[in-house]
Structure formats: structure tokens, C-alpha cells
């Protein structure tokens, strides 16, 4: 009797597993889109690109790239199915590339409605702005790198870990687009002769239009202001507060200091005076010196406090310039509006629908203190 029950139990388990196989699809029958691109051509028509891996042994090319003109991603999918080997699926999408021309189109963001109606499709894909035609990236065939769609994803992840660009998936893009207290920021890349390179961060206004661009080091400052940096961000600053380098001002080696931030303290105090928002940002940075290039022997003999003051003054100046540029464009990628909503709601409520203009009139005061915790195994302050 026990043996019969065991047999019946085993059969029941097999029967329960069978329903999971009725809708199976072989890899050869699917075009699994790993990278999607959306751009606008010279005729002001929307062009959608797709790149999928090829699993056929007979195929010489291991990726399949296609492009179609379509008014929506759903319509593009039907056109892709008319030219690709397998049925187009987007559940494994790694990145979505959008051209600058698309960002100038009204309501371009509504094209992503397809993804937001299936929540699981918004967690993985990273949204990237391409400086130049998207076609040049989709037709790029690197011979010393992994599959292009995986290479682009890995490239952005590496740059984000190095704090030289942001990383935004579809969910994070939606949050920044819908939040009245900030504006969106996206990774920006460009196709050069032999490589796809990250150029920094693209900044959008509240309508989603491209407005400003942060370089690689400016992005590091941006992430530091947001208190969203990863690990130990690195900086290189020219030391313009030391003696002139030499009579030849065009020499390649500059007076500079490189350092890493090992610990930081960040605080934002929000006030309102005469209808104007006032932010007092206090930052304490503990750093370690990794490089000190100077041909000034007197400076080399100085103690750490002078170098601390120089670094703090230089960083404070760069922070202020970064904020001023955004205020001039009436954008707030830093999220200062979120602090206004949280701590000064009465003053925030009347200006929430036009926060860009209110932020442009705000005062942002940066108070920065730098403490050198280590200079490495070499004593940089004593002459050899």
C-alpha cells in the first residue's frame, strides 16, 4: 500500500509540472531584444532599433540588428516580427538608448507607457541618452569586447561605480519625471571612432527636454551634492594657489592634487525669507591624498592645513558654479525641491508647479570642511 501511494504521489508531481511547459518557446524561435533604441531621423520620423542575440549555429553574426519607422514601440514590435527570425520579446531588455533629437519632441516620454503597464519590465532596463545618431552605436561591432548590448550595460555600470555618471532604470526615470521637487538626469554616451564612451550626465527639464550636460568630474560633484556617491569617489584638482610652475606655462605636468573621499558628513538646512528659499549645505569630507604634483619647494614644506584650505576652497567654488548653471536653466537635478516640500511645505505649495523658477531665485550656501586623514606611505610635506 505504501509503495502504491509513493507511485501515485510521484505521478501527481509530474502532472503538476506539466502545465508550466505548455507555452514554452525555444530560443531559436525568439528574438530576445537586449538593447532598444529610439531616435528621430532627418525627416522627423521616429526610428526604433532593436538588437537581439542569434542562437543558430549556422549564423556567422551572433547578433541581429533591425530598425523600423513606427509611431510607438508596440507598432515597432509588429514590424520587427515581419523581418526577424523569431518572435520579438522584451522581457530581458538591458538598456534603452534615446537620441537627443527625440528629447526635443513633445511628449516623448509617453512612448514608455508600454513598459509601465508591466511593472517587472521597468526594473532592469537602463535609460541612456546618446550624443549623436543612435544608428552608429547599433552598427558598432567590437571585436575585443563582449556582445554589444551587454558591453553597453556593463560600461554604464562600471562608470556609475566610479561615480562619473548616473544610472537610471525606467522606474527611477519615472520617479524623477513625475516628482515636482526635482528634474531628471540620465547617463550620456557617445560613439567615437573605435569605442562607445561615457561622456557624463544629461540633464532634462520638467518637460523632459535636454537642457544641460555634466562632464565626468562634474558628475562626481553632482553625486556628492546628492549624497548618492558609491564607495570612495576620486577627485583631481589643479593647485592654482601655489607658486607659478615655471616660465613655460604650457608645460604638460601641472600642479595638482588627487585624493579620495573616505568618509563624508552631509546636512541641508532649509529656510524661507521674503518668499525666497535659502539652503545651507554643510559638508565634512575626510580624504586621503593619492597624488601631490608640485614644483614649489616652499609649498611642499607646508603643513596639511594649507592644502586642506586650498581643496575646500576649490571644491566649494566648483559646487557653486554647478548649482548656478542649473539655476540659470531653471532645473533642479539635485532635488532641493524635495527638501522644500518636506521642511517648508507652506512656502512650497504655491510654487510646486513652477519649481524651476523658484529654485532659480533660491540661495544655496555651501559650507565645506576638508580633513586630510592620510597622505600614504610617503611623507609629502618633507623635502627628500
Amino acid at each position: 500500500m505504501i509503495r502504491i501511494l509513493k507511485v501515485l504521489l510521484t505521478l501527481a508531481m509530474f502532472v503538476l509540472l506539466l502545465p508550466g511547459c505548455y507555452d514554452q518557446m525555444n530560443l531559436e524561435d525568439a528574438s530576445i531584444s537586449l538593447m532598444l533604441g529610439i531616435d528621430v531621423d532627418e525627416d522627423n520620423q521616429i526610428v526604433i532599433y532593436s538588437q537581439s542575440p542569434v542562437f543558430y549555429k549556422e549564423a556567422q553574426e551572433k547578433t541581429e540588428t533591425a530598425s523600423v519607422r513606427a509611431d510607438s514601440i508596440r507598432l515597432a514590435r509588429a514590424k520587427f516580427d515581419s523581418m526577424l527570425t523569431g518572435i520579438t520579446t522584451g522581457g530581458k531588455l538591458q538598456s534603452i538608448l534615446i537620441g537627443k533629437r527625440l528629447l526635443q519632441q513633445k511628449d516623448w516620454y509617453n512612448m514608455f507607457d508600454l513598459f509601465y503597464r508591466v511593472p517587472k519590465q521597468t526594473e532592469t532596463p537602463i535609460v541612456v541618452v546618446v550624443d549623436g545618431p543612435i544608428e552608429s552605436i547599433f552598427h558598432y561591432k567590437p571585436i575585443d569586447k563582449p556582445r554589444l548590448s551587454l558591453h553597453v550595460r556593463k560600461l554604464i555600470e562600471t562608470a556609475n561605480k566610479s561615480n562619473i555618471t548616473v544610472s537610471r532604470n525606467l522606474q527611477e526615470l519615472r520617479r524623477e519625471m513625475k516628482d515636482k521637487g526635482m528634474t531628471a538626469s540620465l547617463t550620456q554616451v557617445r560613439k567615437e571612432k573605435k569605442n562607445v564612451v561615457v561622456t557624463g550626465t544629461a540633464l532634462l527639464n520638467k518637460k523632459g527636454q535636454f537642457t544641460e550636460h555634466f562632464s565626468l568630474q562634474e558628475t562626481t560633484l553632482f553625486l556628492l551634492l546628492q549624497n548618492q556617491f558609491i564607495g570612495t569617489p576620486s577627485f583631481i584638482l589643479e593647485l592654482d594657489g601655489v607658486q607659478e610652475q615655471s616660465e613655460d606655462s604650457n608645460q604638460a605636468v601641472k600642479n595638482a592634487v588627487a585624493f579620495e573621499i573616505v568618509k563624508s558628513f552631509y546636512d541641508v538646512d532649509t529656510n524661507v525669507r521674503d518668499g525666497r528659499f535659502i539652503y545651507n549645505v554643510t559638508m565634512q569630507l575626510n580624504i586621503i591624498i593619492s597624488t601631490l604634483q608640485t614644483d614649489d619647494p616652499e609649498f611642499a614644506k607646508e603643513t596639511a592645513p594649507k592644502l586642506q584650505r586650498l581643496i575646500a576652497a576649490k571644491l566649494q567654488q566648483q559646487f557653486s558654479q554647478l548649482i548656478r548653471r542649473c539655476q540659470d536653466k531653471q532645473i533642479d537635478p539635485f532635488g532641493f525641491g524635495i527638501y522644500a516640500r518636506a521642511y517648508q511645505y507652506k512656502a512650497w505649495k504655491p510654487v510646486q508647479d513652477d519649481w524651476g523658477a523658484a529654485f532659480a531665485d533660491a540661495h544655496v550656501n555651501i559650507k565645506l570642511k576638508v580633513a586630510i586623514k592620510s597622505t600614504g606611505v610617503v611623507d609629502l610635506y618633507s623635502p627628500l
Side-chain angles (χ1 to χ4, degrees), residues 203-222:
L203 307 180
L204 313 183
N205 61 19
K206 211 56 201 172
K207 296 180 180 179
Q209 297 174 326
F210 178 87
T211 305
E212 185 58 89
H213 171 257
F214 284 162
S215 66
L216 301 180
Q217 178 141 331
E218 288 172 346
T219 298
T220 307
L221 293 168
F222 168 54

Side-chain angles (χ1 to χ4, degrees), residues 125-153:
I126 293 177
V127 185
V128 186
V129 174
V130 178
D131 183 10
I134 286 182
E135 182 180 10
S136 62
I137 293 183
F138 274 81
H139 291 164
Y140 172 51
K141 299 178 181 179
I143 59 176
D144 56 349
K145 293 176 177 62
R147 199 184 302 271
L148 179 61
S149 53
L150 301 181
H151 167 60
V152 170
R153 173 66 182 237

Side-chain angles (χ1 to χ4, degrees), residues 265-313:
F265 171 79
Y266 180 87
D267 181 68
V268 179
D269 180 62
T270 309
N271 293 298
V272 178
R273 186 180 303 161
D274 298 328
R276 176 176 295 179
F277 288 89
I278 300 174
Y279 296 94
N280 294 306
V281 182
T282 304
M283 302 179 72
Q284 165 75 48
L285 305 179
N286 295 343
I287 68 172
I288 57 174
I289 303 296
S290 55
T291 301
L292 180 59
Q293 296 176 180
T294 175
D295 59 359
D296 183 359
E298 295 301 320
F299 180 79
K301 295 178 183 178
E302 293 285 347
T303 55
K306 182 176 180 179
L307 186 56
Q308 290 175 167
R309 290 193 299 270
L310 281 173
I311 293 174

Side-chain angles (χ1 to χ4, degrees), residues 20-69:
C21 304
Y22 80 97
D23 60 347
Q24 67 176 344
M25 180 182 293
N26 296 324
L27 286 176
E28 292 83 356
D29 299 330
S31 291
I32 304 173
S33 182
L34 298 181
M35 189 166 69
L36 190 72
I38 311 174
D39 206 352
V40 176
D41 62 15
E42 296 178 353
D43 297 325
N44 206 36
Q45 297 291 317
I46 293 176
V47 183
I48 299 179
Y49 299 83
S50 176
Q51 189 169 97
S52 309
V54 176
F55 299 101
Y56 285 98
K57 295 181 180 180
E58 300 85 353
Q60 295 182 355
E61 293 288 343
K62 297 305 178 183
T63 57
E64 189 175 27
T65 302
S67 63
V68 297
R69 285 185 174 183

